[in-house]
């Protein structure tokens, strides 16, 4: 229920359609046309060809109508994107039966797995720009589910929101990388694992212990061929950090004060000496890169002479 005296906001048509409060078109083509059919057609195109392939004319063509007929239902492509996102993300899964409300970690894991699965099913969702706090029903349902997973933890409401932003950021990064692999593999007509295998071979051939000692140890350990899933590892470390924070709060620790703002002012940033120092760093880095290139070339030539001898 809305608070008393609340002013009803003026909603963009796409958001109003998502909430089911938009006025129906006054007139239109045959009754077979509907918002639902338009969104279904747009999602089908995006799933098959990506978000860039979706246009009002393309959607209309797939339905057998003129482009102008769509505008009686969806007044702009931005509105269509809102509705496509709502359909694509769907609703979050319900908590597993028997799962304790205090088990926030497993509940967030389950929601995280579901979120990654959604992005795998509809990778074009990652191409829709993030424009602030979500305000459509399905988006809010996901936020509500993640906040509810933390409801038993001794946290303030703004801490809970900050934690779900942290977790969803990690999940979105995972989805973005996985999607990039799929696109690259699809373009090359190979299995995604073949990309890692090929790059591992390059690293093995060119990474030397003299130039990149720490990286060479990782290569020799097989990290880039058969290492642990870095995304699963990363999410668990994020959750470890959240668990430690919750434990401190449960023990009575005060909420940490925010970091003070930087003392650096625009005037200092623009200072001539700062600019000159930054240029010196860039020049030094360039000389270092050139020196390393010459070193690699010398090593290759020495190896070549040794193999001939």
């Amino acid at each position: 229920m809305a608070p008393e005296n609340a002013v009803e906001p003026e909603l963009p048509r796409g958001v109003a359609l998502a909430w089911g409060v938009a006025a129906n078109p006054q007139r239109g083509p045959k009754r077979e046309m509907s918002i639902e059919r338009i969104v279904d057609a747009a999602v089908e195109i995006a799933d098959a060809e990506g978000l860039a392939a979706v246009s009002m004319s393309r959607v209309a063509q797939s339905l057998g109508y003129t482009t102008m007929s769509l505008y009686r239902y969806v007044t702009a492509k931005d509105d269509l994107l809102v509705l496509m996102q709502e359909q694509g993300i769907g609703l979050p899964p319900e908590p597993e039966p028997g799962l304790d409300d205090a088990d926030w970690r497993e509940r967030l894991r389950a929601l995280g797995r579901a979120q990654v699965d959604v992005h795998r099913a509809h990778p074009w969702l990652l191409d829709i720009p993030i424009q602030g706090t979500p305000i459509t029903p399905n988006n809010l349902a996901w936020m509500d589910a993640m906040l509810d997973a933390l409801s038993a933890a001794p946290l303030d409401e703004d801490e809970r929101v900050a934690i779900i932003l942290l977790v969803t950021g990690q999940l979105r990064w995972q989805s973005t990388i996985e999607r990039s692999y799929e696109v690259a593999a699809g373009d090359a007509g190979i299995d995604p694992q073949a990309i890692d295998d090929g790059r591992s071979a390059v690293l093995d051939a060119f990474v030397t212990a003299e130039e990149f000692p720490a990286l060479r140890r990782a290569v020799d350990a097989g990290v880039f061929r058969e290492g642990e899933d870095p995304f699963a590892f990363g999410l668990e470390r994020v959750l470890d950090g959240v668990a430690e924070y919750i434990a401190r709060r449960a023990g009575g620790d005060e909420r940490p004060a925010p970091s003070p703002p930087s003392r650096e002012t625009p005037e200092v940033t623009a200072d001539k000496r700062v600019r000159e120092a930054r240029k010196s760093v860039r020049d030094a880095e360039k000389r270092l890169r050139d020196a390393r290139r010459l070193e690699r070339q010398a090593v290759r030539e020495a190896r070549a002479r040794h193999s001939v001898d």
Side-chain angles (χ1 to χ4, degrees):
M1 180 181 295
E4 289 186 28
N5 303 321
V7 177
E8 189 74 24
E10 183 176 348
L11 301 176
R13 180 163 174 80
V15 176
L17 286 167
W19 281 103
V21 297
N24 292 324
Q26 296 299 311
R27 42 191 287 273
K30 299 176 182 178
R31 67 176 60 182
E32 288 84 0
M33 176 70 89
S34 67
I35 295 292
E36 291 75 19
R37 284 198 64 201
I38 293 170
V39 176
D40 285 345
V43 167
E44 185 176 343
I45 293 170
D47 283 346
E49 304 175 45
L51 194 63
V54 177
S55 66
M56 299 292 275
S57 59
R58 177 70 186 280
V59 173
Q61 181 183 14
S62 71
L63 292 170
Y65 294 102
T66 65
T67 303
M68 288 305 300
S69 64
L70 260 65
Y71 284 104
R72 299 190 181 103
Y73 295 83
V74 183
T75 55
K77 183 179 176 181
D78 286 347
D79 296 335
L80 179 58
L81 292 179
V82 169
L83 299 173
M84 289 173 63
Q85 184 184 53
E86 274 291 283
Q87 178 167 311
I89 63 173
L91 290 171
E94 292 295 319
E96 296 178 13
L99 193 62
D100 192 286
D101 286 346
D103 194 352
W104 61 267
R105 187 166 185 145
E106 184 52 42
R107 291 182 66 184
L108 285 183
R109 276 200 202 101
L111 288 165
R113 289 191 296 268
Q115 195 170 99
V116 171
D117 286 344
V118 165
H119 287 148
R120 287 170 179 162
H122 306 292
W124 49 268
L125 286 167
L126 298 166
D127 294 328
I128 297 179
I130 297 173
Q131 298 179 326
T133 303
I135 55 174
T136 52
N138 288 354
N139 266 306
L140 292 176
W142 280 92
M143 180 180 287
D144 184 74
M146 298 190 86
L147 288 173
D148 187 62
L150 293 164
S151 60
L155 298 166
D156 297 336
E157 293 300 334
D158 52 350
E159 289 174 313
R160 293 188 179 97
V161 170
I163 287 170
I164 69 170
L165 288 175
L166 174 66
V167 172
T168 54
Q170 174 72 16
L171 296 168
R172 187 176 180 90
W173 172 243
Q174 173 180 348
S175 295
T176 300
I177 296 299
E178 288 185 355
R179 189 265 186 105
S180 297
Y181 267 69
E182 292 291 338
V183 170
D187 291 344
I190 59 177
D191 185 86
Q193 182 59 41
I195 296 177
D196 271 343
D197 293 342
R199 294 189 178 266
S200 295
V202 172
L203 292 175
D204 191 42
F206 289 97
V207 172
T208 65
E210 295 77 18
E211 187 175 2
F212 307 106
L215 183 57
R216 184 68 236 184
R217 290 194 294 271
V219 171
D220 290 341
V223 169
F224 300 100
R225 294 193 305 272
E226 50 193 19
E228 181 180 351
D229 179 359
F231 297 117
F233 180 89
L235 178 59
E236 288 305 309
R237 300 298 73 76
V238 168
L239 297 178
D240 283 345
V242 173
E244 182 179 346
Y245 183 82
I246 289 175
R248 292 204 310 268
R249 295 286 273 132
D253 281 10
E254 294 293 326
R255 178 178 172 184
S259 301
S262 172
R263 295 179 180 274
E264 188 175 76
T265 64
E267 290 76 18
V268 172
T269 303
D271 187 276
K272 181 180 179 181
R273 288 172 299 176
V274 174
R275 295 197 303 271
E276 290 175 348
R278 288 174 176 169
K279 183 177 184 301
S280 296
V281 170
R282 290 195 298 271
D283 291 343
E285 289 174 342
K286 181 178 184 301
R287 290 194 296 271
L288 178 60
R289 288 194 300 270
D290 290 342
R292 286 178 170 173
R293 178 176 56 79
L294 293 173
E295 179 190 24
R296 289 194 296 269
Q297 182 178 345
V299 169
R300 287 196 297 270
E301 291 174 352
R303 287 174 177 170
R305 286 195 302 270
H306 179 73
S307 63
V308 170
D309 295 340

